[in-house]
Amino acid sequence: MAKERDRVLASMTGLYFEEFTEGETIRHEKRRTISESDNQRFCDLTMNQQPLHLDAEFASETQFGERVVNGLYTMSLAVGLTVPDTTDGTIVANLAYDDVEHPAPVFHGDTVRAESTVTNTRLTSDEERGVVTMRVDVFKQDDTLVCSFERTALVERRPA
């Protein structure tokens, strides 16, 4: 059992509470080009049948002129892009997502990347874990900000 735990710990890439520094910005290397299929599958899985996301004819008549990627997919993808550098293997729970904004649309074929800025860290009242709040900014290939939100996570402290 101890050997299995050691293997798991060796493969995780997340940070322990003590490794987060307020004000630090983490630029995540992973990016993702969003396909029509990604958007379609996400809408299907979440039962979101908004025609702006799915109906090319309908969307062509809107201010965007084409289908817009579901904003919740953009946000979910951003969380996934950030996990390896922040909470992979060290998270206890995501506690909150706050102050979500979508200042610009994402379209099929756009490539997104994310940056996380640590805005607050504090120990839990029993001091056994820590709470970390990060501002996540999501940009597409031309550096347009397309989504931003705060993510608050409960994370493990470094083992003794």
Side-chain angles (χ1 to χ4, degrees), residues 42-60:
F42 186 84
C43 287
D44 289 346
L45 286 170
T46 59
M47 298 179 68
N48 182 337
Q49 298 304 301
Q50 170 56 251
L52 181 60
H53 303 314
L54 302 171
D55 184 331
E57 187 64 29
F58 174 88
S60 72

Side-chain angles (χ1 to χ4, degrees), residues 58-128:
F58 174 88
S60 72
E61 301 294 325
T62 69
Q63 69 189 43
F64 304 107
E66 62 182 293
R67 289 168 291 172
V68 175
V69 171
N70 186 312
L72 291 174
Y73 175 69
T74 302
M75 182 180 161
S76 297
L77 175 58
V79 172
L81 293 173
T82 68
V83 164
D85 301 323
T86 59
T87 59
D88 181 28
T90 58
I91 194 167
V92 176
N94 282 309
L95 301 177
Y97 296 97
D98 296 299
D99 196 23
V100 179
E101 297 180 13
H102 298 277
V106 176
F107 302 105
H108 303 149
D110 282 339
T111 300
V112 297
R113 64 178 178 82
E115 296 178 359
S116 298
T117 301
V118 180
T119 59
N120 189 280
T121 60
R122 66 175 176 82
L123 288 172
T124 56
S125 59
D126 62 9
E127 297 189 356
E128 291 185 11

